[in-house]
Amino acid sequence: MSDSELLTSLQAKFIGRDTVYPTVDGGRSPRIYLDSAASTLMMGPAYEVGHEFLEHYASTHSDLHYAARGASQAFEWAHEKVLEFVDASPENYCSFFAGSGATAGFNRMAASLSRARPERDVVLVSEMEHHSNDLPHRHHTSQVVHVPCLGEFERYGALDMDKLQAIVDEYGDRINYIAVTGASNVSGAITPLADVARIVHAVGAYLLVDASQMIAHAPVSMDDADIDVLVFSGHKIYAPGSPGAVIAKNDLLNAIKPAELGGGMVDDVYIAEYMPTATLPDREEAGTPNIVGAITLGAVLNLLTRVGMDKVREKEIGLIDYAWQEMSKIDGVTLYGPDPGEIPRTGTMTFNIKGFDHGLTAAALNDYHNIQVRNGCFCAHPYVRELLKRELWEMDIDPDAPNAEADVERKRGMARASLGLYTTQADLEALVAAIRDLVERRDEIIELYEPIGSNGYRHRNFEPPAVDIFNPERLLENFLAEPVQTIAG
Ligand SMILES: Cc1ncc(COP(=O)(O)O)c(C=O)c1O
């Protein structure tokens, strides 16, 4: 199979892409999933690998029965696939799994790096960051300096390299590291990582990259960009249920103390003392790992490596350009973040429709058009406030007001359409048509919704049948109704 054939074949093999849901008009159709920035769908062939492993399931870290040997080898294979995918040579880098997403990795690295270099008391964090790559650094460091972005109002986004340079000049060797996203989860704006590395390395600071939103969309080379630490969530690259992945330079990992203690990371333990192992990644992986998730993730990365992330990126650029251009033409639609013609972006597009609160947009796209998008501030409140500043001022709302009232919450946010490998031109045509439909039927649709909670909306006359919403209890009832089976022997 050629690379292109593999890409085409994989696109058709995502679990749940065609799940059918009802719409307000009484119809039923396969959903259009445009919520990949929150979490992607599962890649079918990778799921099969994880599922097949269950036939051989055993825990890792033993060689003496066949299943444990297979598990240990496959778990090691998953580590290798991570390194390969981010182009990190094993002589210089090590990968380890942590928690259920990137958040665990940031907390771990923030704690470890601040303990390792207490004399460097400043950490730089960009203003675009997800809270997961901001708050852990605030918690573990005495001073976080936020680095501004380029542009203003709706076009705010992409790290301002001149301002970064000025901040690095000001704080110099007090800087421990910079934590910056590879791509924003709000605007998709991509960071020039090799340039950031050059600037911060000049004062001996590390570069820690949040690759959560970049990993499934653009190639990354840790070797070439000289990235010290990179963190991503497996569930954002087609392996829901897999762990977070951390890739770091061996020198750096050897210099820090393990942040988590437990089984599997010690050579020996006495009542009076214990000896953490020097072996990586074991030292960073205390406890029984999420082996199935790691193997599933390894399988995804292996397949995508075969496709080539440059091909994935190329395909996505065409879709981004189409969606951006078509959405820009719709009267009353505001798109956020830098223009993709000026700053490279991933397929994450945030927008608002005049007259619609962000929650109403998401609800109406779902109920009328079976298009699933996310809405809100996407755990990037400071960045979203900047993007919305002008509009909120015009509404007489102070975007920085603490303890915002419910009304402010309804206005303060956007809808977000985010692409995955399975997204087609037809999906985006449907999105554009759906937005046009909402604009045309604005008054009618607004009338038909009632607000619920702080930013939700519910249709007054339409409730999906319970059977259409996933419910684990219902599946268990099916099992409980089956005749009893016994194990022979
Ligand atoms: C840019 C970015 N960083 C970090 C995270 C946190 O990832 P997780 O929730 O998987 O730990 C997210 C999740 O949305 C994200 O988009």
Side-chain angles (χ1 to χ4, degrees), residues 180-244:
V180 68
T181 195
S184 158
N185 67 318
V186 178
S187 66
I190 291 178
T191 306
L193 296 173
D195 297 340
V196 176
R198 218 168 297 119
I199 292 174
V200 302
H201 285 163
V203 295
Y206 296 131
L207 166 59
L208 184 159
V209 174
D210 175 2
S212 306
Q213 295 295 336
M214 159 173 260
I215 198 75
H217 301 273
V220 57
S221 169
M222 290 188 75
D223 276 335
D224 289 354
D226 202 8
I227 297 167
D228 298 288
V229 184
L230 185 134
V231 180
F232 70 88
S233 308
H235 70 89
K236 292 197 197 280
I237 181 158
Y238 314 119
S242 66

Side-chain angles (χ1 to χ4, degrees), residues 143-188:
Q143 192 178 352
V144 163
V145 177
H146 287 92
V147 184
C149 298
L150 295 165
E152 55 176 0
F153 303 123
E154 301 83 68
R155 292 285 160 266
Y156 194 61
L159 198 63
D160 186 327
M161 302 300 285
D162 291 339
K163 293 205 172 117
L164 170 63
Q165 183 66 67
I167 291 170
V168 168
D169 290 345
E170 182 179 347
Y171 291 93
D173 63 8
R174 282 182 60 195
I175 304 170
N176 192 353
Y177 60 94
I178 179 169
V180 68
T181 195
S184 158
N185 67 318
V186 178
S187 66

